[in-house]
Amino acid sequence: MLAIAGILLVVLGVVCLFKPAETLFASAWLIGFMTLVSGLATLLFTFRTQKFLPNSGTRMLSGLLQMFLGIFFLCNNMAVAISLPIVFCIWVIIEGIMLFIESFDFKKFGFGFWWCIMLLGIAAAVLGYFGLLNFEAAGKTLSVLIGLGIIFNGVCYLVAIAGINKFLKPLKEITEE
């Protein structure tokens, strides 16, 4: 089963690489679905624990808002797919700025490579900015990253099989004795 999963993940990752627009639409749908399910789970949790945990009202509101957001995402798939690269670029800019700022904390505590963190933070912020200037390219890049991530997961499954087989052989010899 692990081999089948690994092969299917590699195939899915390759499809993501060659179908960037479809990858963004599928990701947008998946985000909507997962948000809807998360909201439903939050509501169910709230109903089961409202007698024991305080602030059930805010938790219930959170669950309802998540469900509303999930339904909104599912009904507006194109808008979500188009906005994913923009949101991703803004996130990269914010994280880059945070890394830049945190690098000085590392310097203060004597970390010798603080400047690497600073440079990576600057690079991230600049790349995020350029992504905002051309979010079509950012969307394709995001799809490539998703595809590569899926491929790497599939390859890890296949490598795990080799590791499992390596350990199974001595275990079989021990149990047969």
Side-chain angles (χ1 to χ4, degrees):
M1 293 303 284
L2 197 59
I4 292 170
I7 291 168
L8 290 176
L9 284 171
V10 169
V11 169
L12 177 62
V14 170
V15 168
C16 289
L17 291 176
F18 289 105
K19 300 284 188 178
E22 290 82 353
T23 300
L24 287 179
F25 283 110
S27 298
W29 183 88
L30 191 59
I31 289 169
F33 180 74
M34 289 173 23
T35 305
L36 178 63
V37 170
S38 174
L40 183 61
T42 301
L43 273 181
L44 292 174
F45 176 77
T46 301
F47 291 140
R48 297 194 78 186
T49 62
Q50 64 187 357
K51 293 179 184 175
F52 309 108
L53 296 175
N55 300 322
S56 294
T58 55
R59 200 172 310 103
M60 183 180 295
L61 179 62
S62 174
L64 290 171
L65 288 173
Q66 287 177 39
M67 289 178 63
F68 174 76
L69 193 60
I71 292 168
F72 176 79
F73 285 174
L74 289 171
C75 293
N76 296 292
N77 194 299
M78 182 173 283
V80 175
I82 290 170
S83 66
L84 277 178
I86 297 168
V87 170
F88 181 72
C89 289
I90 291 170
W91 175 69
V92 169
I93 290 170
I94 292 169
E95 287 297 315
I97 292 169
M98 294 300 295
L99 283 172
F100 176 79
I101 293 168
E102 288 174 357
S103 70
F104 295 104
D105 290 336
F106 282 97
K107 180 181 180 184
K108 188 165 78 171
F109 288 107
F111 182 64
F113 292 101
W114 67 271
W115 55 272
C116 291
I117 297 170
M118 182 183 71
L119 291 177
L120 290 170
I122 293 169
V126 169
L127 287 172
Y129 173 74
F130 283 129
L132 284 177
L133 295 178
N134 186 354
F135 58 87
E136 183 179 335
K140 289 179 181 175
T141 302
L142 186 56
S143 295
V144 167
L145 291 174
I146 291 169
L148 290 175
I150 293 170
I151 289 170
F152 290 160
N153 279 326
V155 170
C156 284
Y157 280 20
L158 296 173
V159 170
I161 291 170
I164 290 169
N165 288 337
K166 181 179 178 181
F167 290 110
L168 279 179
K169 196 178 285 186
L171 286 175
K172 284 182 182 178
E173 291 173 7
I174 291 171
T175 57
E176 289 176 359
E177 291 177 356

